Amino acid sequence: MVRSGSASVAAGPTLAVVAREAGVSVPTASKVVNGREDVAPETRRRVTEALDRLGYARRPRFDVAKVPGLVDLVVHSLDTSWSGAVLHGVEAAAHDAGLEVVVSAGAGRTRGGRPERSWLDKLIARGSSGVLFNLAELTSSQYAWLEQHRIPFVMIDPVLEPPPGVVSVGAANWQGGVTATDHLLALGHERIAVVAGHQHTVCGNARVAGYRSALASAGLRHRPEYVRHAGFDESVAHRRMLDLLDLPEPPTAVFVCSDRMALGVYEALAERGLRVPDDVSVIGFGDLPESGWLSPALTTVRQPLSEMAATALRLLVRMMDGERPESTRTELSTRLVPRSSTAPARGTA
Amino acid sequence: MVRSGSASVAAGPTLAVVAREAGVSVPTASKVVNGREDVAPETRRRVTEALDRLGYARRPRFDVAKVPGLVDLVVHSLDTSWSGAVLHGVEAAAHDAGLEVVVSAGAGRTRGGRPERSWLDKLIARGSSGVLFNLAELTSSQYAWLEQHRIPFVMIDPVLEPPPGVVSVGAANWQGGVTATDHLLALGHERIAVVAGHQHTVCGNARVAGYRSALASAGLRHRPEYVRHAGFDESVAHRRMLDLLDLPEPPTAVFVCSDRMALGVYEALAERGLRVPDDVSVIGFGDLPESGWLSPALTTVRQPLSEMAATALRLLVRMMDGERPESTRTELSTRLVPRSSTAPARGTA
C-alpha cells in the first residue's frame, strides 16, 4: 500500500476491530500498538492477544498520497565500506519503490555498558513502516518487541542464526567457500589452509564447510591443523598465519575468510620474507573496495552486498504490503574475482 | 525547537502574519511554502516577498513531543568510504541532538541526462526540517528553491564556492597543503612535485596554494613543471606521475592531493622499478581507511570528515532553531599521519 500511493488496499482488520475483540477502547488499543507505557499489564496482554489472533498489520501514519514512506535501516556501524555497500543497495531500491531511508547506527550503541534501546523506541514512536537490520545481533526481547508492535523487518546477513520465521538475506557462503578452494585446487595447490572467521557465526561456519567439501571432492584428506579461526580480526589473522608458517609442512595457499583478515595475512608473509603469490597464494572473501589497494591486488570471492541489501528492501516492501515471503532465507550467489594474489603451485606451472 | 521537544520557542512570525502581510489567505500562503503548483504566479511572488521581508522560518510538521525530528543528508554516492565517514559523523551528532537522519543519494542522480529533482520535491513534501549536502554541486535554481521553501541547509565540503550567505563546513585545505609540503621539506627534499585535483574546485586550489606557500617559505623557487592536475582520478594520476618521472630532473618526493590518486602514483612508480620511499617519497591527503592498505602504508594528511559532518549537523540544528551562524564558512584543521611512504632525501640522512 505504500508503493501504490493509495491507502485503500490494506490487509487485515482495523484497530477498531482489534479494540472490540479485546474489550478495550480504540485509544487504549492504539497505546499498546504504539508502545506507550501507561497501560495496565492485563489490558496490554488482552490487546496483544487480540492483535495476534486477528493478524493486525500496522499502517504507516503518513499521508501516503503526498509523502514518501520511510523505512529504517539499523546498522552496527556506519564508517565501514561494508555498511556503505549495504546502504547503497538499500537506498537505490528504496528510491525505486518511492520510499526513503532513515539510517541509525544504534544496533551496537550502548549506554552504561548495556545495549541502548532508544532506536527501538524511536521506531515505535515514529510508527516505522519497516526495518532492515544489518549485522545486528538482536536479543530475544528485541525480537519480541518488534513482533508485538507488528513492525515488519528483514535481517541482512545476520551474524547468528535468527529465530524461526525471521526473514533474512545473505550470501551463498558455503558455495563461496567451495569457489575459493576450487580456484586454489585448479592452480595445483594441495597444501591449502584456511584462516576462518568466528566459529559460531552463520557466515564463518558455512565458508569453512565449503572449503572442506571442495577438498573432499578433490580427494584430499582434511588436516585439522590447517584450519585456524581468527574471528574476522586482522591482527589475530596475522598471528594465525605465522602459526601456519611454523608448521612442519606449511601451506602453499591460504583461503582467508574475509578481505580484512587478508591484510594481516599479507603482513605475516612479508615478515617472513615470503612473496605473494610466488611463495604463497592468498584468496580472500568479500571483495571490499579496499582489496584492490593491496599489493599484489587480492584475488577474492565477491559477496554481493549491495544486491543483498536491495533484495532485503524489496522483501520488506512486500511484507509491508501484507505478503509473506515464500522462504525465510534468501541467498545470493558469490563469484570469483581473479586478481594477482594467486598463482600456480610450484612444479605445476 | 526540535532538540528541546517543545514547539513553543519558534522564532519569527507565524504563517498567519505572513498571509496578512501578503494579502492572501493562510491556506494560500501554506501552498506557497509547501511548494504546491496551484498558485497564480503573481500570488506566489507576493507571498515569497512577504516571507523574505518577515524572515519566516519553517516549522517541522511532526509532533515534536513524541516523534524525533528528521534531518536529511543528500550525498553524491553512498558506496565510498568518504560518504561512510560523513554519514558516521552526521548520525552520531544527530543522535546526540535527538534527531534522525534520512539519507538520499539523489544529488548525483539523473533522469534522461538531466539532474533529477525528485529528492528536492520529497524534501518539500515531507516538510524537511533541514538538509545537509555532501559533495553536491547545486544549481542556482536549486539554491533558490531551498531559499524559497525556507529549508535550512548546510554544505559539507562543497566542490565549488557556494553563493554568498550559504553555510558550509570544510577542511583547512590550505593549511593541509602546507603541512604535507613542510613534512617533505623537513626530510631534506628539494625537488617536490604535486599531483593535484581539479583546478577550479575549492579543495583542489587551496591544497596547491598551501604547497606553493610552503616552498616559498623555504626559499625554494616554484617550478611550474612540477604541478600536474589529475582531477582526483586514479588513472589520470598514474599518467601524470609517469610524466613527472620523464622530466630531466624528476622529483624525489610527491604530494598527491588525494589518497585515491596515490594508488595510481604507486602503480606508476612500480612500473618504472622505483621503490617507495627509498627512491621517491609519497604523501597523500585525506586519510581514507584504504590508505592503510597500501604497501608501504601511506603517509598522509588527515582530513577530519566525520568531525566536519558532525559540525555541519550542529550548525544545522542551530539554524533550525532560528539562529544564524557567526561565520558562513567553518574549517576544521588537518594533521599529519606519518606512516611508511616518506623517508629522508638521499644524501641527507
Side-chain angles (χ1 to χ4, degrees):
Chain A
M1 60 193 175
V2 174
R3 282 174 305 172
S4 63
S6 150
S8 61
V9 293
T14 64
L15 200 57
V17 173
V18 172
R20 202 182 318 131
E21 173 81 9
V24 302
S25 69
V26 173
T28 299
S30 171
K31 280 182 187 175
V32 173
V33 170
N34 289 310
R36 293 265 297 274
E37 298 297 323
D38 50 343
V39 183
E42 165 61 17
T43 309
R44 183 184 302 280
R45 191 190 56 74
R46 285 218 312 277
V47 173
T48 305
E49 281 177 9
L51 290 166
D52 281 333
R53 203 155 51 233
L54 297 169
Y56 175 77
R58 283 181 75 84
R59 281 171 192 75
R61 286 201 194 154
F62 47 81
D63 178 350
V64 291
K66 285 202 324 213
V67 179
L70 298 172
V71 289
D72 285 270
L73 171 64
V74 179
V75 301
H76 185 78
S77 63
L78 282 164
D79 57 348
T80 63
S81 57
W82 176 289
S83 61
V86 166
L87 184 49
H88 176 69
V90 168
E91 199 277 340
H95 179 81
D96 291 345
L99 295 165
E100 292 191 285
V101 184
V102 180
V103 177
S104 315
R109 200 171 257 146
T110 56
R111 185 158 282 180
R114 296 231 240 113
E116 198 181 83
R117 225 191 52 185
S118 69
W119 56 269
L120 252 187
D121 293 331
K122 279 193 268 184
L123 300 185
I124 310 297
R126 185 159 30 74
S128 176
S129 316
V131 191
L132 298 172
F133 291 98
N134 178 227
L135 275 186
E137 292 182 70
L138 298 187
T139 63
S140 55
S141 76
Q142 288 171 332
Y143 279 118
W145 185 266
L146 287 162
E147 190 63 33
Q148 182 196 339
H149 292 87
R150 301 295 183 281
I151 297 180
F153 67 98
V154 176
M155 315 289 288
I156 303 168
D157 209 18
V159 177
L160 302 173
E161 192 73 46
V166 168
V167 176
S168 69
V169 179
N173 287 299
W174 179 84
Q175 187 60 54
V178 171
T179 300
T181 313
D182 277 350
H183 172 66
L184 298 172
L185 288 165
L187 290 167
H189 293 279
E190 298 196 341
R191 279 150 47 195
I192 302 173
V194 59
V195 175
H198 285 295
Q199 208 149 1
H200 301 292
T201 58
V202 173
C203 58
N205 276 341
R207 289 174 202 169
V208 176
Y211 155 83
R212 286 189 180 162
S213 299
L215 289 185
S217 300
L220 291 175
R221 73 180 173 87
H222 173 56
R223 300 183 187 216
E225 73 274 22
Y226 274 6
V227 180
R228 305 284 168 145
H229 287 272
F232 295 116
D233 182 289
E234 179 189 324
S235 61
V236 180
H238 175 248
R239 292 199 298 275
R240 295 289 171 272
M241 188 66 221
L242 291 178
D243 294 343
L244 284 166
L245 293 173
D246 287 336
L247 289 173
E249 277 199 304
T252 63
V254 190
F255 166 35
V256 189
C257 286
S258 79
D259 285 1
R260 174 155 288 281
M261 290 196 296
L263 186 55
V265 165
Y266 268 48
E267 281 166 11
L269 291 166
E271 267 177 47
R272 294 290 169 91
L274 295 168
R275 286 162 306 158
V276 178
D278 310 59
D279 300 310
V280 179
S281 283
V282 179
I283 184 167
F285 196 105
D287 196 28
L288 296 179
E290 294 93 315
S291 58
W293 290 59
L294 283 173
S295 176
L298 184 69
T299 297
T300 192
V301 175
R302 188 177 129 77
Q303 176 165 243
L305 283 177
S306 289
E307 294 83 347
M308 283 155 55
T311 300
L313 187 281
R314 286 190 288 265
L315 280 170
L316 182 67
V317 169
R318 288 174 49 199
M319 290 164 69
M320 285 156 59
D321 282 352
E323 286 183 50
R324 289 294 305 173
E326 309 76 50
S327 160
T328 53
R329 171 85 180 169
T330 304
E331 294 206 339
L332 300 194
S333 60
T334 57
R335 68 177 167 78
L336 183 71
V337 181
R339 293 200 185 98
S340 314
S341 65
T342 48
R346 287 204 174 135
T348 60
Chain B
M1 61 192 176
V2 172
R3 282 174 304 172
S4 64
S6 151
S8 60
V9 293
T14 64
L15 201 54
V17 174
V18 172
R20 201 181 319 131
E21 174 82 8
V24 301
S25 69
V26 173
T28 299
S30 170
K31 280 182 185 175
V32 173
V33 170
N34 290 309
R36 293 265 298 273
E37 298 297 323
D38 50 344
V39 183
E42 167 59 20
T43 308
R44 182 183 303 279
R45 192 189 55 74
R46 285 217 312 277
V47 173
T48 304
E49 281 177 10
L51 289 167
D52 281 334
R53 204 156 47 234
L54 298 169
Y56 174 79
R58 282 182 75 86
R59 281 171 191 75
R61 287 201 192 153
F62 46 81
D63 178 349
V64 290
K66 286 204 322 212
V67 179
L70 299 172
V71 290
D72 285 87
L73 171 64
V74 180
V75 301
H76 186 78
S77 62
L78 283 165
D79 56 349
T80 63
S81 56
W82 176 287
S83 61
V86 167
L87 185 48
H88 175 69
V90 168
E91 199 276 340
H95 179 81
D96 290 344
L99 294 165
E100 293 191 287
V101 184
V102 180
V103 177
S104 314
R109 202 171 255 145
T110 57
R111 185 158 283 178
R114 297 232 240 112
E116 198 181 84
R117 226 192 50 187
S118 69
W119 56 268
L120 253 188
D121 293 331
K122 278 193 268 184
L123 300 185
I124 311 298
R126 184 157 33 72
S128 176
S129 317
V131 191
L132 298 172
F133 292 97
N134 179 227
L135 274 188
E137 292 182 69
L138 299 187
T139 62
S140 54
S141 75
Q142 288 172 331
Y143 280 117
W145 185 266
L146 287 161
E147 190 62 35
Q148 182 195 341
H149 291 88
R150 301 293 182 283
I151 298 180
F153 67 98
V154 176
M155 315 288 289
I156 303 168
D157 209 18
V159 177
L160 303 174
E161 194 70 48
V166 167
V167 176
S168 68
V169 178
N173 287 297
W174 179 84
Q175 187 58 53
V178 171
T179 301
T181 312
D182 277 350
H183 172 65
L184 298 172
L185 288 165
L187 290 167
H189 292 279
E190 298 196 342
R191 279 150 47 196
I192 302 173
V194 59
V195 175
H198 287 292
Q199 210 151 1
H200 302 292
T201 58
V202 173
C203 58
N205 276 341
R207 289 174 203 168
V208 176
Y211 155 84
R212 285 189 181 163
S213 299
L215 288 185
S217 298
L220 290 175
R221 73 180 173 87
H222 173 57
R223 301 183 187 216
E225 73 273 22
Y226 274 5
V227 181
R228 305 284 168 146
H229 286 272
F232 295 117
D233 183 288
E234 179 189 324
S235 61
V236 181
H238 175 249
R239 291 200 298 275
R240 296 289 170 271
M241 188 66 220
L242 292 177
D243 294 344
L244 284 167
L245 294 173
D246 288 336
L247 290 173
E249 277 199 305
T252 64
V254 191
F255 167 35
V256 189
C257 287
S258 80
D259 286 1
R260 175 154 289 280
M261 290 197 297
L263 187 55
V265 165
Y266 268 49
E267 280 166 12
L269 291 167
E271 267 177 48
R272 293 290 170 90
L274 295 167
R275 286 161 306 157
V276 178
D278 310 59
D279 299 310
V280 179
S281 284
V282 179
I283 184 167
F285 196 106
D287 196 28
L288 295 179
E290 294 94 316
S291 57
W293 290 58
L294 282 172
S295 175
L298 184 68
T299 297
T300 191
V301 175
R302 189 176 127 76
Q303 175 165 244
L305 283 177
S306 290
E307 294 83 347
M308 283 155 55
T311 301
L313 187 281
R314 287 190 288 264
L315 280 171
L316 182 68
V317 169
R318 289 174 48 200
M319 291 164 68
M320 285 157 59
D321 282 352
E323 287 181 49
R324 288 295 305 172
E326 310 76 49
S327 160
T328 54
R329 171 84 179 171
T330 304
E331 295 206 339
L332 299 194
S333 60
T334 56
R335 67 175 168 79
L336 183 70
V337 181
R339 294 201 186 98
S340 314
S341 65
T342 48
R346 286 203 175 135
T348 60

